[in-house]
């Protein structure tokens, strides 16, 4: 059955009244029913957005029986436990779009009950916003705000205790904000057979603890813990951010967007079963240890007390006593990809080396020409560089040499910028030049060279930086490229172009001086090869429509990494990428749209004029 609460003040316990009223004042413990029906099993109680259940001295909502659902869009409030399901081994589902608040527990689930809670609104309490005890199954999804309003006593925001049975599971997904106003955990899970935590939102603790309490604390997950973090875990008053007190396997995934302020503390032998995984885009200095002791860690497997494994998707790590330093190479890879994008914009005798075809008489022999181009690539979670965007603009001036070869000289400016707090922002300028022999039909060739000066700011996740967990440093360095290409124009007779390109892209070594560490990324070379097919159609109104696709592959060299004098090597990295494109030329102006297999969208334009 479905029971809809439309009252302003309501308490659930004691003797029954015949039904609801628009307003009802509770002066003693009372059970309010709807037509004689209580919430006693297979029932749904809905509190509309204009309704309130506010009590003093007794819980706002009490249920009995199995398989009940509470949907709150209004206000549920009490000076004791606000929502207090009763039963033994029952299942309760709570969906909150409004506000649930209490001076005690906002939601209190006991007696071996299974619970599924989804929050889109606000849940707050002075003790435990969500308190679950001896449960075989707990699922909490938060898209809103859950907070502990206490500022002095030790209280967990999500205090979730399992029954330690085979198959028991605790699952927390946070895409909102969970805040502890005092000194305890935002998420605490204990005695579940299996635990999973996914955080893409924000976890904060305001107070300064005097023990090893973590913002996320997991105790005795016998069959394993999995933690995925792409959000913020911030110990605003310092202390431990992650505490592992289980002897089973744990897998922690630090993904693009991950920021942690506070140390990682392993209680007992849990470190020897701990596996750390760092995704593309994640660089950091991760401190190990508790409130009053360091947590020395060395290369995995060397001795008891070491991490079981450390996996870095897009770089390398260096272990330095209490610190695990992860150096991500997303900036290097994004720079390589931006140079490849630049090469797709350059012209030879007015015909682009890739990504477009002009009519054969667009620029005649001996003509001089001038061109302007620009492009923008939106952000996407690329496997080689995390979530980033790229852009570039440039000018070219070209003509023909006495030996009949075509040439151009030009200048360009580039930018690459990651979307996450941990990432990079790189800007630069450079000079470009090229020679070519372009023919309306048959085989042509081109050679492009360029050198650019980049200023790049890298931001890492330094867990020793209280409150923000962020530290930044800048470096200036050079990037150069050499790129030969072959073009087969109209060999099939329908205004097509097939091109084969190779590019060697060299980046100078870089030194970044952060507040608490220095990182050196050695020089590197990336090799890019691609094949492109383009088809042009000249429309009746003189416009040219073209379309095609590109298949490319990039391979980077091994790169030496040095952190505070300690070294490691980032192994070579390869990735492939395909692009589909359409373009339209109107007079001297051409525009183009590309979509890559990595999910990036690239828009570009170019304009040219003879003189």
């Amino acid at each position: 059955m479905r029971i809809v609460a439309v009252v302003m003040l309501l308490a659930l316990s004691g003797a029954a009244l015949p039904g609801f009223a628009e307003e009802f004042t509770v002066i003693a413990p009372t059970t309010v029913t709807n037509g004689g029906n209580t919430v006693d099993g297979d029932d749904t109680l809905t509190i509309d957005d204009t309704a309130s259940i506010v009590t003093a001295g007794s819980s706002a909502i009490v249920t009995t029986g199995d398989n009940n659902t509470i949907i709150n869009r209004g206000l549920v409030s009490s000076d004791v436990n606000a929502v207090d399901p009763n039963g033994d081994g029952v299942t309760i589902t709570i969906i909150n779009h409004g506000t649930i608040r209490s001076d005690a527990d906002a939601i209190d689930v006991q007696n071996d009950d299974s619970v599924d809670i989804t929050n889109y609104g606000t849940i707050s309490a002075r003790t435990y916003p969500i308190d679950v005890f001896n449960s075989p199954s707990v699922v909490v999804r938060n898209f809103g705000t859950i907070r502990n309003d206490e500022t002095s006593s030790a209280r967990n925001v999500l205090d979730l205790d399992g029954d330690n049975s085979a198959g028991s599971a605790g699952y927390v997904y946070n895409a909102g904000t969970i805040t502890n106003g005092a000194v305890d955990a935002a998420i605490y899970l204990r005695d579940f057979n299996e635990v999973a935590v996914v955080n893409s939102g924000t976890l904060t603790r305001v107070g300064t603890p005097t023990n090893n309490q973590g913002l996320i604390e997991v105790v005795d997950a016998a069959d394993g813990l999995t933690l995925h973090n792409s959000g913020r875990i911030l110990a605003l008053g310092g202390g431990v951010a992650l505490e592992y007190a289980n002897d089973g396997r744990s897998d922690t995934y630090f993904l693009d967007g991950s920021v942690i302020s506070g140390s990682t503390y392993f209680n007992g032998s849990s470190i020897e079963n701990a596996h750390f995984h760092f995704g593309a885009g994640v660089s950091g200095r991760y401190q190990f240890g508790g409130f009053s002791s360091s947590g020395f860690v060395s290369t995995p497997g060397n001795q008891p007390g070491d991490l079981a494994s450390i996996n870095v998707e897009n770089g390398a790590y260096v272990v330095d006593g209490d610190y695990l330093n992860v150096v991500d190479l997303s900036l290097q890879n994004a720079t390589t990809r931006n140079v490849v994008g630049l090469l797709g914009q350059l012209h030879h005798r007015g015909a682009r080396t890739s990504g477009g075809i002009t009519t054969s008489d667009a620029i005649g022999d001996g003509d001089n020409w001038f061109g302007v181009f620009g492009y923008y690539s939106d952000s996407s979670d690329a496997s080689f560089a995390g979530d980033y965007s790229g852009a570039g603009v440039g000018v070219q001036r070209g003509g023909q040499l006495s030996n009949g070869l075509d040439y151009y000289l030009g200048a360009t400016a580039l930018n690459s910028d990651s979307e996450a707090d941990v990432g990079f922002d790189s800007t630069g300028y450079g000079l470009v030049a090229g020679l070519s022999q372009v023919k309306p039909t048959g085989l042509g060739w081109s050679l492009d060279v360029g050198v650019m000066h980049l200023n790049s700011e890298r931001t890492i996740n330094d867990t020793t930086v209280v409150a923000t967990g962020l530290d930044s440093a800048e470096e200036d360095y050079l990037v150069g490229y050499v790129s030969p290409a072959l073009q087969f124009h109209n060999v099939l007779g329908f205004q097509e172009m097939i091109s084969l390109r190779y590019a060697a892209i060299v980046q100078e070594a870089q030194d970044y001086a952060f507040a608490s560490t220095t990182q050196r990324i050695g020089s590197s070379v990336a090799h890019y090869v691609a094949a492109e097919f383009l088809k042009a159609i000249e429309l009746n109104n003189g416009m040219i429509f073209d379309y095609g696709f590109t298949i490319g592959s990039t391979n980077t060299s091994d790169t030496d990494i040095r952190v505070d004098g300690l070294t490691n090597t980032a192994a070579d990295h390869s990735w492939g990428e395909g692009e589909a494109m359409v373009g339209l030329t109107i007079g001297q102006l051409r525009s183009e749209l590309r979509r890559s297999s990595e999910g990036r969208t690239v828009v570009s334009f170019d304009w040219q004029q003879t003189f």
Side-chain angles (χ1 to χ4, degrees), residues 169-199:
Y171 173 82
V172 176
Y173 174 80
N174 177 54
T177 300
I178 301 177
T179 300
N180 194 316
V183 296
D184 256 8
I187 300 174
Y188 175 86
L189 297 119
R190 181 179 65 186
D191 290 339
F192 290 100
N193 203 237
E194 183 176 333
V195 167
V197 177
V198 178
N199 178 53

mmCIF file of all heavy atoms in Angstrom, residues 169-199:
data_model
loop_
_atom_site.group_PDB
_atom_site.id
_atom_site.type_symbol
_atom_site.label_atom_id
_atom_site.label_comp_id
_atom_site.label_asym_id
_atom_site.label_seq_id
_atom_site.Cartn_x
_atom_site.Cartn_y
_atom_site.Cartn_z
ATOM 1 N N ALA A 169 27.822 -7.341 2.718
ATOM 2 C CA ALA A 169 28.448 -6.355 1.835
ATOM 3 C C ALA A 169 28.043 -4.954 2.242
ATOM 4 O O ALA A 169 26.891 -4.699 2.608
ATOM 5 C CB ALA A 169 28.063 -6.607 0.383
ATOM 6 N N GLY A 170 28.997 -4.035 2.161
ATOM 7 C CA GLY A 170 28.753 -2.623 2.378
ATOM 8 C C GLY A 170 29.197 -1.843 1.164
ATOM 9 O O GLY A 170 30.332 -2.002 0.693
ATOM 10 N N TYR A 171 28.301 -1.008 0.622
ATOM 11 C CA TYR A 171 28.590 -0.263 -0.603
ATOM 12 C C TYR A 171 28.223 1.198 -0.386
ATOM 13 O O TYR A 171 27.105 1.508 0.044
ATOM 14 C CB TYR A 171 27.792 -0.834 -1.769
ATOM 15 C CG TYR A 171 27.884 -0.028 -3.050
ATOM 16 C CD1 TYR A 171 28.974 -0.171 -3.908
ATOM 17 C CD2 TYR A 171 26.889 0.876 -3.400
ATOM 18 C CE1 TYR A 171 29.071 0.565 -5.077
ATOM 19 C CE2 TYR A 171 26.968 1.618 -4.567
ATOM 20 C CZ TYR A 171 28.065 1.456 -5.405
ATOM 21 O OH TYR A 171 28.159 2.194 -6.557
ATOM 22 N N VAL A 172 29.155 2.103 -0.693
ATOM 23 C CA VAL A 172 28.906 3.536 -0.589
ATOM 24 C C VAL A 172 29.314 4.192 -1.896
ATOM 25 O O VAL A 172 30.448 4.017 -2.360
ATOM 26 C CB VAL A 172 29.680 4.179 0.582
ATOM 27 C CG1 VAL A 172 29.460 5.695 0.587
ATOM 28 C CG2 VAL A 172 29.252 3.578 1.909
ATOM 29 N N TYR A 173 28.378 4.960 -2.480
ATOM 30 C CA TYR A 173 28.676 5.745 -3.674
ATOM 31 C C TYR A 173 28.389 7.200 -3.352
ATOM 32 O O TYR A 173 27.257 7.567 -3.007
ATOM 33 C CB TYR A 173 27.820 5.298 -4.862
ATOM 34 C CG TYR A 173 27.999 6.177 -6.079
ATOM 35 C CD1 TYR A 173 29.107 6.009 -6.911
ATOM 36 C CD2 TYR A 173 27.100 7.190 -6.374
ATOM 37 C CE1 TYR A 173 29.302 6.822 -8.006
ATOM 38 C CE2 TYR A 173 27.280 8.009 -7.472
ATOM 39 C CZ TYR A 173 28.379 7.814 -8.285
ATOM 40 O OH TYR A 173 28.582 8.630 -9.376
ATOM 41 N N ASN A 174 29.392 8.058 -3.451
ATOM 42 C CA ASN A 174 29.225 9.467 -3.128
ATOM 43 C C ASN A 174 29.577 10.337 -4.325
ATOM 44 O O ASN A 174 30.711 10.350 -4.791
ATOM 45 C CB ASN A 174 30.106 9.883 -1.948
ATOM 46 C CG ASN A 174 29.984 11.374 -1.665
ATOM 47 O OD1 ASN A 174 28.879 11.889 -1.477
ATOM 48 N ND2 ASN A 174 31.104 12.078 -1.657
ATOM 49 N N ALA A 175 28.559 11.057 -4.808
ATOM 50 C CA ALA A 175 28.781 12.060 -5.841
ATOM 51 C C ALA A 175 28.403 13.439 -5.325
ATOM 52 O O ALA A 175 28.381 14.401 -6.096
ATOM 53 C CB ALA A 175 27.971 11.723 -7.087
ATOM 54 N N GLY A 176 28.113 13.530 -4.034
ATOM 55 C CA GLY A 176 27.753 14.794 -3.417
ATOM 56 C C GLY A 176 28.794 15.221 -2.410
ATOM 57 O O GLY A 176 29.999 15.137 -2.656
ATOM 58 N N THR A 177 28.333 15.644 -1.221
ATOM 59 C CA THR A 177 29.227 16.115 -0.169
ATOM 60 C C THR A 177 28.900 15.408 1.131
ATOM 61 O O THR A 177 27.732 15.350 1.533
ATOM 62 C CB THR A 177 29.087 17.638 0.037
ATOM 63 O OG1 THR A 177 29.417 18.309 -1.182
ATOM 64 C CG2 THR A 177 30.009 18.129 1.139
ATOM 65 N N ILE A 178 29.924 14.859 1.775
ATOM 66 C CA ILE A 178 29.786 14.257 3.096
ATOM 67 C C ILE A 178 30.779 14.972 4.006
ATOM 68 O O ILE A 178 31.983 14.948 3.760
ATOM 69 C CB ILE A 178 30.058 12.746 3.076
ATOM 70 C CG1 ILE A 178 29.084 12.050 2.122
ATOM 71 C CG2 ILE A 178 29.930 12.147 4.474
ATOM 72 C CD1 ILE A 178 29.326 10.551 1.983
ATOM 73 N N THR A 179 30.253 15.621 5.069
ATOM 74 C CA THR A 179 31.085 16.456 5.927
ATOM 75 C C THR A 179 30.968 16.030 7.377
ATOM 76 O O THR A 179 29.863 15.875 7.897
ATOM 77 C CB THR A 179 30.672 17.938 5.808
ATOM 78 O OG1 THR A 179 30.830 18.357 4.452
ATOM 79 C CG2 THR A 179 31.520 18.816 6.707
ATOM 80 N N ASN A 180 32.134 15.857 8.024
ATOM 81 C CA ASN A 180 32.174 15.612 9.460
ATOM 82 C C ASN A 180 32.639 16.895 10.132
ATOM 83 O O ASN A 180 33.760 17.358 9.917
ATOM 84 C CB ASN A 180 33.127 14.458 9.792
ATOM 85 C CG ASN A 180 32.949 13.957 11.216
ATOM 86 O OD1 ASN A 180 32.834 14.740 12.152
ATOM 87 N ND2 ASN A 180 32.925 12.634 11.372
ATOM 88 N N GLY A 181 31.758 17.471 10.974
ATOM 89 C CA GLY A 181 32.102 18.714 11.645
ATOM 90 C C GLY A 181 33.061 18.541 12.793
ATOM 91 O O GLY A 181 33.561 19.522 13.349
ATOM 92 N N ALA A 182 33.335 17.277 13.167
ATOM 93 C CA ALA A 182 34.216 17.015 14.311
ATOM 94 C C ALA A 182 35.489 16.321 13.831
ATOM 95 O O ALA A 182 36.143 16.810 12.904
ATOM 96 C CB ALA A 182 33.467 16.181 15.357
ATOM 97 N N VAL A 183 35.844 15.172 14.424
ATOM 98 C CA VAL A 183 37.162 14.594 14.196
ATOM 99 C C VAL A 183 37.129 13.147 13.716
ATOM 100 O O VAL A 183 38.183 12.532 13.575
ATOM 101 C CB VAL A 183 38.010 14.665 15.487
ATOM 102 C CG1 VAL A 183 38.279 16.106 15.872
ATOM 103 C CG2 VAL A 183 37.331 13.916 16.639
ATOM 104 N N ASP A 184 35.946 12.606 13.455
ATOM 105 C CA ASP A 184 35.878 11.204 13.070
ATOM 106 C C ASP A 184 35.733 11.046 11.559
ATOM 107 O O ASP A 184 35.968 11.963 10.786
ATOM 108 C CB ASP A 184 34.741 10.509 13.825
ATOM 109 C CG ASP A 184 35.275 9.624 14.958
ATOM 110 O OD1 ASP A 184 36.476 9.692 15.230
ATOM 111 O OD2 ASP A 184 34.474 8.880 15.552
ATOM 112 N N ALA A 185 35.275 9.843 11.148
ATOM 113 C CA ALA A 185 35.242 9.494 9.736
ATOM 114 C C ALA A 185 34.028 10.079 9.036
ATOM 115 O O ALA A 185 32.973 10.309 9.632
ATOM 116 C CB ALA A 185 35.241 7.975 9.574
ATOM 117 N N ALA A 186 34.194 10.304 7.737
ATOM 118 C CA ALA A 186 33.046 10.590 6.887
ATOM 119 C C ALA A 186 32.366 9.277 6.504
ATOM 120 O O ALA A 186 31.139 9.193 6.467
ATOM 121 C CB ALA A 186 33.478 11.359 5.650
ATOM 122 N N ILE A 187 33.166 8.253 6.220
ATOM 123 C CA ILE A 187 32.643 6.928 5.862
ATOM 124 C C ILE A 187 33.364 5.893 6.713
ATOM 125 O O ILE A 187 34.596 5.765 6.631
ATOM 126 C CB ILE A 187 32.859 6.620 4.368
ATOM 127 C CG1 ILE A 187 32.139 7.659 3.494
ATOM 128 C CG2 ILE A 187 32.380 5.221 4.033
ATOM 129 C CD1 ILE A 187 32.425 7.514 2.016
ATOM 130 N N TYR A 188 32.610 5.167 7.519
ATOM 131 C CA TYR A 188 33.174 4.125 8.383
ATOM 132 C C TYR A 188 32.435 2.822 8.096
ATOM 133 O O TYR A 188 31.205 2.753 8.174
ATOM 134 C CB TYR A 188 33.007 4.512 9.848
ATOM 135 C CG TYR A 188 33.454 3.452 10.838
ATOM 136 C CD1 TYR A 188 34.785 3.369 11.238
ATOM 137 C CD2 TYR A 188 32.538 2.545 11.375
ATOM 138 C CE1 TYR A 188 35.197 2.405 12.146
ATOM 139 C CE2 TYR A 188 32.943 1.579 12.282
ATOM 140 C CZ TYR A 188 34.274 1.515 12.674
ATOM 141 O OH TYR A 188 34.683 0.556 13.566
ATOM 142 N N LEU A 189 33.175 1.782 7.713
ATOM 143 C CA LEU A 189 32.596 0.465 7.434
ATOM 144 C C LEU A 189 33.358 -0.589 8.209
ATOM 145 O O LEU A 189 34.597 -0.640 8.151
ATOM 146 C CB LEU A 189 32.650 0.152 5.937
ATOM 147 C CG LEU A 189 31.844 1.069 5.021
ATOM 148 C CD1 LEU A 189 32.765 1.759 4.042
ATOM 149 C CD2 LEU A 189 30.776 0.287 4.271
ATOM 150 N N ARG A 190 32.613 -1.456 8.896
ATOM 151 C CA ARG A 190 33.240 -2.483 9.720
ATOM 152 C C ARG A 190 32.443 -3.783 9.633
ATOM 153 O O ARG A 190 31.219 -3.791 9.573
ATOM 154 C CB ARG A 190 33.312 -2.028 11.173
ATOM 155 C CG ARG A 190 33.990 -3.027 12.125
ATOM 156 C CD ARG A 190 34.034 -2.501 13.538
ATOM 157 N NE ARG A 190 32.693 -2.365 14.102
ATOM 158 C CZ ARG A 190 32.450 -1.804 15.291
ATOM 159 N NH1 ARG A 190 33.441 -1.295 16.007
ATOM 160 N NH2 ARG A 190 31.210 -1.712 15.723
ATOM 161 N N ASP A 191 33.188 -4.897 9.608
ATOM 162 C CA ASP A 191 32.615 -6.237 9.718
ATOM 163 C C ASP A 191 31.704 -6.610 8.561
ATOM 164 O O ASP A 191 30.717 -7.340 8.729
ATOM 165 C CB ASP A 191 31.855 -6.397 11.045
ATOM 166 C CG ASP A 191 32.791 -6.435 12.239
ATOM 167 O OD1 ASP A 191 33.984 -6.728 12.043
ATOM 168 O OD2 ASP A 191 32.338 -6.156 13.359
ATOM 169 N N PHE A 192 32.033 -6.120 7.370
ATOM 170 C CA PHE A 192 31.396 -6.627 6.160
ATOM 171 C C PHE A 192 32.374 -7.559 5.470
ATOM 172 O O PHE A 192 33.579 -7.331 5.473
ATOM 173 C CB PHE A 192 31.028 -5.484 5.209
ATOM 174 C CG PHE A 192 29.913 -4.613 5.694
ATOM 175 C CD1 PHE A 192 30.188 -3.391 6.299
ATOM 176 C CD2 PHE A 192 28.594 -5.003 5.543
ATOM 177 C CE1 PHE A 192 29.171 -2.572 6.740
ATOM 178 C CE2 PHE A 192 27.561 -4.192 5.996
ATOM 179 C CZ PHE A 192 27.843 -2.982 6.592
ATOM 180 N N ASN A 193 31.832 -8.592 4.846
ATOM 181 C CA ASN A 193 32.687 -9.520 4.125
ATOM 182 C C ASN A 193 33.351 -8.827 2.934
ATOM 183 O O ASN A 193 34.503 -9.094 2.626
ATOM 184 C CB ASN A 193 31.853 -10.715 3.668
ATOM 185 C CG ASN A 193 32.697 -11.945 3.424
ATOM 186 O OD1 ASN A 193 32.691 -12.502 2.345
ATOM 187 N ND2 ASN A 193 33.440 -12.382 4.437
ATOM 188 N N GLU A 194 32.604 -7.939 2.305
ATOM 189 C CA GLU A 194 33.113 -7.249 1.128
ATOM 190 C C GLU A 194 32.672 -5.793 1.179
ATOM 191 O O GLU A 194 31.525 -5.492 1.541
ATOM 192 C CB GLU A 194 32.585 -7.901 -0.153
ATOM 193 C CG GLU A 194 33.109 -7.299 -1.432
ATOM 194 C CD GLU A 194 32.629 -8.046 -2.660
ATOM 195 O OE1 GLU A 194 32.341 -9.256 -2.545
ATOM 196 O OE2 GLU A 194 32.540 -7.419 -3.723
ATOM 197 N N VAL A 195 33.570 -4.891 0.794
ATOM 198 C CA VAL A 195 33.304 -3.455 0.875
ATOM 199 C C VAL A 195 33.718 -2.793 -0.433
ATOM 200 O O VAL A 195 34.775 -3.107 -0.991
ATOM 201 C CB VAL A 195 34.066 -2.807 2.047
ATOM 202 C CG1 VAL A 195 34.057 -1.286 1.940
ATOM 203 C CG2 VAL A 195 33.467 -3.238 3.379
ATOM 204 N N ALA A 196 32.864 -1.865 -0.912
ATOM 205 C CA ALA A 196 33.215 -1.048 -2.071
ATOM 206 C C ALA A 196 32.820 0.394 -1.792
ATOM 207 O O ALA A 196 31.707 0.658 -1.321
ATOM 208 C CB ALA A 196 32.516 -1.550 -3.326
ATOM 209 N N VAL A 197 33.737 1.313 -2.064
ATOM 210 C CA VAL A 197 33.483 2.745 -1.910
ATOM 211 C C VAL A 197 33.873 3.426 -3.216
ATOM 212 O O VAL A 197 34.983 3.237 -3.711
ATOM 213 C CB VAL A 197 34.287 3.348 -0.739
ATOM 214 C CG1 VAL A 197 34.044 4.855 -0.656
ATOM 215 C CG2 VAL A 197 33.929 2.669 0.571
ATOM 216 N N VAL A 198 32.938 4.209 -3.765
ATOM 217 C CA VAL A 198 33.200 4.988 -4.978
ATOM 218 C C VAL A 198 32.926 6.445 -4.646
ATOM 219 O O VAL A 198 31.798 6.808 -4.303
ATOM 220 C CB VAL A 198 32.313 4.523 -6.149
ATOM 221 C CG1 VAL A 198 32.583 5.382 -7.387
ATOM 222 C CG2 VAL A 198 32.548 3.046 -6.452
ATOM 223 N N ASN A 199 33.951 7.281 -4.751
ATOM 224 C CA ASN A 199 33.803 8.695 -4.429
ATOM 225 C C ASN A 199 34.182 9.553 -5.622
ATOM 226 O O ASN A 199 35.324 9.563 -6.065
ATOM 227 C CB ASN A 199 34.679 9.098 -3.234
ATOM 228 C CG ASN A 199 34.572 10.584 -2.934
ATOM 229 O OD1 ASN A 199 33.467 11.107 -2.775
ATOM 230 N ND2 ASN A 199 35.703 11.270 -2.884
#
